[in-house]
Structures are given as C-alpha cells and as structure tokens.
Amino acid sequence: MIPLTVPALGAEELAAAESVLRSGMLVQGEEVRAFEAALAARTGRKHAIAVASGTTALELALRALDLGPGDEVMCPALTWPSPAHAALAVGAEVALVDVDPHEWNATEHDFAVARGPRTRAAIVIEQFGNPARHRPLAGALDGLKVIVDAACSLGAAYEGQPCGGHGLIACTSFHPHKELTTGEGGACLTDDDAIAERLRVLRNHGQRAPGQFVQASGNYRMTELAAAIGRVQVDKLETLVAARRALAAQLREVLPRDAVQHAPAGGEPNHQTLGLLIGAPGSGSAARDRVIAALRDQGVQAGALSYALHRLPQLREAGARAQAAGRTLVHAADLVDRGLALPLFPSMTEAQVSALRAALARVLAR
Ligand SMILES: Cc1ncc(COP(=O)(O)O)c(C=O)c1O
C-alpha cells in the first residue's frame, strides 16, 4: 500500500532526540529557544513562540489579540476545524466565508462579502500549503486583526516572501502530516514585540517571569524533545519542499488541470497535500468515494480531502447565519464532496511514483 504520508525523519532527528533524553533537560531549556530563532529566521519574523500544537497556536493568537464574546471572526468554511474551534473557544462568533473553487482558499472577494459591522478579525488559511493572496487581501481586510493559519504552508512563499511571514500573527503546525514535524507542535510568528510578550505569558501559566503570575492561563509549552527534532527539520525544510514540488509536478501530469488546486498569482505552494476533484461541480461525493475505493484496490491509500465547517453540529448556526446573509458556501461544500487527498511525501520512491501514476491513469479512465 502506498500510504498517504510518511514523516521525513532520519538519523539526525534520532540523534537530536537522544541527546535531549541524555541531558535530562526535557522542558524549558535551550532547544525551544534555538528552534524559535531558526523558525523566525526562516519566515523572516522578529518573534517565534513555540507551543504544543497548531490548534493551541490559534487559540493563543486569538487570546493575545483580545478577541472574545461580542466579536465576530471570519473563517473560511473549508478546513480542518481548528481555526473555527479556536474562535468558539474564546467565545467569539464565527462568520463562515466561502472559498475560491480553483485556489481552495478564501479570496479578497470572499472576505469582502462576509465582512460586517461586528467583524473584528479574519483568519486567513493557506489550505494545503497554497499561499493566500496576501496583497489584495490586505485591502479587503484593512482595519481588522489578521491571523494567518499557516499550519500547512511553511516552506511556501507569496511574492517571494516566506509563508508564516504574513499577518499580525501567523500560526503554524508541526503535526506529522505537515512538511516540518515535531510529533505534535505549533508556533505563533509575529513582528510585534507586545503581542510576542503576551503570547509568551499566555503559553506559560500566565507568568511574566518565573513565579510572577499576572493572568490565568494554562501550560501550552513545547517540550525540548520536540524542539530538538524541529531544529533538525527546519534545516531540511528547503530540501523537503523541493522534493515535494518535484513529486507533485510528476503526479499532476496525469491529473486533469481543472481538478487540482491552483496557486494564486505570485504564489509558490509547498504541496503539503495533493488534492484531486472527481466529477463535475455539484455532482456530489458518490464518484469520489468510488475512486477512493478503487485506488485502495490498486494499493493506493487516498482519503477525503477536508471538511465543510457548516456541516459540523457546533458550526451549524454559523452556517445558517451565513446562508441568511446570502453566503451559500457552495464552493466549500462542493470541494469537500468531490475532493480527495492523494499520497505525497518527500521519501516517495521512483517505483512508488510510477505505480501511483499508473493506478491513477487506470482509475480515472473508468
Ligand atoms: C489548516 C489547519 N489549521 C490548524 C490545524 C491544527 O494543527 P494541529 O493538528 O497541530 O493542532 C491543522 C491541522 O491539520 C490545519 O490543517
């Protein structure tokens, strides 16, 4: 079976983890600080604040920006639920935003129609490592607090600027499905000194300095073990992304052009996920489900692409509000119905690429 993904871990990560274990210093040592410095340098940011997961990063970002009850936060409707869950967790109201049928991200037009008088913030998602249209978005989101969900987009770039470098705060994830992994992990990236300080306090039980508790907060820290692995991975990011891009190009050759994700002008994706749409727009999920089963029969693991947030019980009300305001979220729903994720990982062998291309050609010809 060709798996959907395989984390790119080797001898260097093993050695880094072993050295932390031998040191006995498992938390709050030098590794987290060094990992943060490397991340900040790689994304062109002044500050990186490493935390326990991408979801944690989003929640802390919203808290650091004082978003809460009475505030409306815009969030694209096609995604893993974390950004919307984070907004709900701080007591904010979610305004769901449709996405572009080609780029699979919310564009400036999607955000502009969703923006209302109570909107205070926007979460801009770089879905599957496809950069958002940051230049036109800056106009549409002017005056709002912009958080970029860069969970999938480290190593990608927009107009030459590394992803993770956009927004008041960018949040990234180091889950094993991402291009850079620490097992579990995440980070907030920002250029603002005061926000960085608030994030560091929030991450560490609300302490400004050891024993100086200034507000109620939990423990959202990253371990030294995770950071040591992350340091090795940051150094490999360029190579890992280059491998993904080369493999994605080979695989996309056998896929219909209108069935894959398109980069915006100036965008250089990292292909964190290789998505494919099955059937004509509006045709539902039956054909997609048949393709997933047929690929499985050919030794290829494929899975459903993503989630339509307005279909989740905790976001149904947000979906109803969007519909009542005339936002049908039709593209998000259609991409979720027809979308599947294909295997793509940097260590994919030539034999696996050939087998995958052949299986796709056979299954898609039916
Ligand atoms: C767009 C997006 N945001 C946030 C997350 C959450 O990251 P984590 O799994 O590290 O909490 C994910 C993870 O899949 C994601 O894809």
Side-chain angles (χ1 to χ4, degrees):
M1 191 64 113
I2 304 176
L4 257 179
T5 187
V6 178
L9 299 168
E12 298 96 330
E13 284 84 353
L14 271 175
E18 186 180 339
S19 126
V20 170
L21 289 175
R22 287 191 188 284
S23 78
M25 189 76 176
L26 302 187
V27 295
Q28 293 180 288
E30 273 312 306
E31 292 292 343
V32 169
R33 272 187 289 278
F35 179 45
E36 289 176 337
L39 271 178
R42 180 61 186 74
T43 54
R45 287 294 206 173
K46 201 164 168 195
H47 304 279
I49 296 92
V51 294
S53 69
T55 306
T56 307
L58 286 161
E59 259 187 62
L60 292 189
L62 287 155
R63 285 180 67 191
L65 297 178
D66 268 333
L67 293 159
D71 298 330
E72 186 182 77
V73 177
M74 294 192 287
C75 177
L78 168 102
T79 184
W80 181 258
S82 292
H85 282 177
L88 293 179
V90 301
E93 199 167 276
V94 175
L96 290 173
V97 179
D98 206 1
V99 298
D100 180 79
H102 309 290
E103 295 173 23
W104 309 358
N105 283 328
T107 66
E108 65 279 17
H109 310 295
D110 298 309
F111 279 112
V113 296
R115 185 173 179 171
R118 285 185 308 111
T119 310
R120 292 218 25 232
I123 301 180
V124 171
I125 305 180
E126 304 194 293
Q127 202 54 256
F128 314 128
N130 196 29
R133 301 181 184 185
H134 294 289
R135 184 184 293 276
L137 279 172
L141 303 178
D142 188 37
L144 299 180
K145 297 175 178 182
V146 176
I147 295 173
V148 175
D149 182 335
C152 306
S153 63
L154 278 195
Y158 176 78
E159 293 184 346
Q161 187 181 358
C163 289
H166 305 94
L168 194 49
I169 306 177
C171 299
T172 194
S173 162
F174 309 122
H175 179 274
H177 284 187
K178 309 305 185 215
E179 47 299 313
L180 185 167
T181 188
T182 61
E184 297 282 7
C188 294
L189 303 155
T190 185
D191 297 319
D192 186 298
D193 296 342
I195 291 173
E197 173 61 14
R198 298 193 68 180
L199 286 165
R200 291 195 180 100
V201 169
L202 285 169
R203 161 179 75 173
N204 191 14
H205 305 281
Q207 289 177 97
R208 185 168 293 141
Q212 193 188 336
F213 297 94
V214 293
Q215 72 182 106
S217 195
N219 175 354
Y220 306 104
R221 297 187 305 246
M222 173 177 274
T223 65
E224 287 285 282
L225 206 52
I229 295 169
R231 277 178 75 182
V232 176
Q233 291 259 298
V234 181
D235 288 344
K236 291 184 176 176
L237 185 61
E238 225 57 61
T239 320
L240 294 177
V241 171
R244 272 184 186 280
R245 285 183 177 145
L247 291 163
Q250 282 178 277
L251 294 171
R252 282 165 62 120
E253 273 172 14
V254 299
L255 303 176
R257 214 190 109 68
D258 58 358
V260 294
Q261 190 177 27
H262 290 251
E268 298 166 62
N270 65 10
H271 301 289
Q272 179 265 340
T273 292
L274 179 58
L276 172 67
L277 304 177
I278 303 297
S283 60
S285 58
R288 185 274 312 270
D289 292 343
R290 281 197 297 274
V291 168
I292 292 178
L295 285 170
R296 196 170 302 133
D297 290 344
Q298 307 259 342
V300 173
Q301 189 189 17
L305 184 64
S306 191
Y307 299 87
L309 297 189
H310 52 297
R311 291 177 179 164
L312 308 182
Q314 62 279 29
L315 285 154
R316 220 166 264 149
E317 239 180 80
R321 276 197 307 273
Q323 302 274 350
R327 303 196 308 281
T328 55
L329 310 176
V330 63
H331 297 309
D334 183 52
L335 294 169
V336 165
D337 286 341
R338 296 194 296 126
L340 59 85
L342 291 169
L344 182 65
F345 46 89
S347 60
M348 192 177 263
T349 62
E350 269 179 47
Q352 284 176 317
V353 172
S354 306
L356 184 47
R357 281 173 57 118
L360 283 166
R362 273 194 299 274
V363 169
L364 297 179
R366 282 180 197 165

